[in-house]
Amino acid sequence: MNIILLGAPGAGKGTQAEVICKALNIPTISTGNMLRAAVKAGTEYGLKAKAAMDAGDLVSDDIVIGILKDRIAEPDAHNGFILDGFPRTLPQAEVLEEMLAKKGIKLDAVIEIQVPDEIIMERILGRYSCMTCGAGYHDKFQKPKVYGVCDVCGGTDFYRRVDDNRATVQNRLVNYRALTYPTIPYFEKKGLLRCVDGTGTIEATSKKIDDLLAVA
């Protein structure tokens, strides 16, 4: 099954992608994670992407598309995949359709997770991760069992992403409304769009997505 997850930054796409990945045994292809890896490695594409990512701007299509083409071609994606964070623009949606058509691949569903901006802001500003193992936490919704100690590895050093600040998040939401949201009617016209209320618990949202995929 080939799935696209859409939604504003902080809507829960990454979390739901992990749930679907385990349930269907298909890989999650997150352009955000791949770009951050390129930034950390200091590659040519990574250096170009860093300034845009730090400012909350969208990375250029040529960088994203180049990475995605290679990823889809890997063996673990042959039986299906979940796209998290792509397409980000209408031109990318059109290029994606062309790319998949050439490979004889069809999309089964495009799921938009809908969450109001005020809830997204609360989710993003409160999240942080363990420096040692990368386990994710939240000031309100997912605290460590012991204050200041990672549940997974016992580490005591944590960090917040540099772009998880109010000004950058607001800029990312503006970009989403202006650039990514036009992909919604594009996929709706193709009969692929399914909308899910993502304001509830992770489990509640997962159940809604499961129900949609069962009839996709």
Side-chain angles (χ1 to χ4, degrees):
M1 181 169 277
N2 304 310
I3 304 164
I4 292 176
L5 289 182
L6 294 178
K13 298 187 299 298
T15 299
Q16 294 303 325
E18 290 180 8
V19 175
I20 299 170
C21 175
K22 292 177 181 178
L24 299 182
N25 195 29
I26 56 177
T28 298
I29 299 177
S30 170
T31 53
N33 287 343
M34 287 189 288
L35 286 170
R36 281 189 287 274
V39 170
K40 184 176 181 180
T43 66
E44 179 182 354
Y45 281 146
L47 294 175
K48 290 179 180 179
K50 186 177 186 305
M53 292 172 66
D54 286 348
D57 293 331
L58 296 177
V59 179
S60 64
D61 287 359
D62 62 325
I63 296 173
V64 178
I65 291 170
I67 293 174
L68 184 61
K69 283 182 179 178
D70 291 341
R71 183 64 184 89
I72 288 178
E74 293 183 16
D76 67 336
H78 287 176
N79 294 323
F81 52 80
I82 307 159
L83 294 184
D84 170 17
F86 187 92
R88 292 179 182 268
T89 65
L90 185 55
Q92 286 183 355
E94 295 169 343
V95 170
L96 174 64
E97 183 179 39
E98 180 181 354
M99 179 200 314
L100 295 179
K102 289 180 179 178
K103 293 176 175 292
I105 299 172
K106 72 177 186 67
L107 290 172
D108 294 292
V110 176
I111 299 174
E112 182 200 9
I113 303 175
Q114 300 175 331
V115 180
D117 288 0
E118 60 268 21
I119 295 179
I120 284 174
M121 187 68 71
E122 180 181 39
R123 287 180 178 180
I124 293 180
L125 296 186
R127 67 188 183 185
Y128 61 98
S129 301
C130 173
M131 286 283 290
T132 303
C133 71
Y137 297 96
H138 193 279
D139 294 329
K140 179 179 179 180
F141 304 119
Q142 190 176 356
K143 299 178 181 179
K145 294 176 182 177
V146 177
Y147 178 78
V149 181
C150 176
D151 296 342
V152 178
C153 71
T156 56
D157 293 323
F158 299 86
Y159 73 97
R160 299 178 191 269
R161 280 174 45 180
V162 67
D163 54 343
D164 281 357
N165 61 77
R166 185 170 296 275
T168 300
V169 173
Q170 288 175 337
N171 191 30
R172 290 163 66 190
L173 289 172
V174 168
N175 277 331
Y176 176 76
R177 303 302 177 199
L179 299 176
T180 305
Y181 198 77
T183 64
I184 301 298
Y186 175 82
F187 288 119
E188 185 175 20
K189 289 179 181 178
K190 295 180 178 297
L192 293 169
L193 184 67
R194 308 288 186 272
C195 298
V196 172
D197 178 0
T199 58
T201 64
I202 293 173
E203 293 76 17
T205 303
S206 296
K207 178 62 168 59
K208 295 173 185 176
I209 293 175
D210 285 343
D211 292 344
L212 290 176
L213 293 179
V215 296

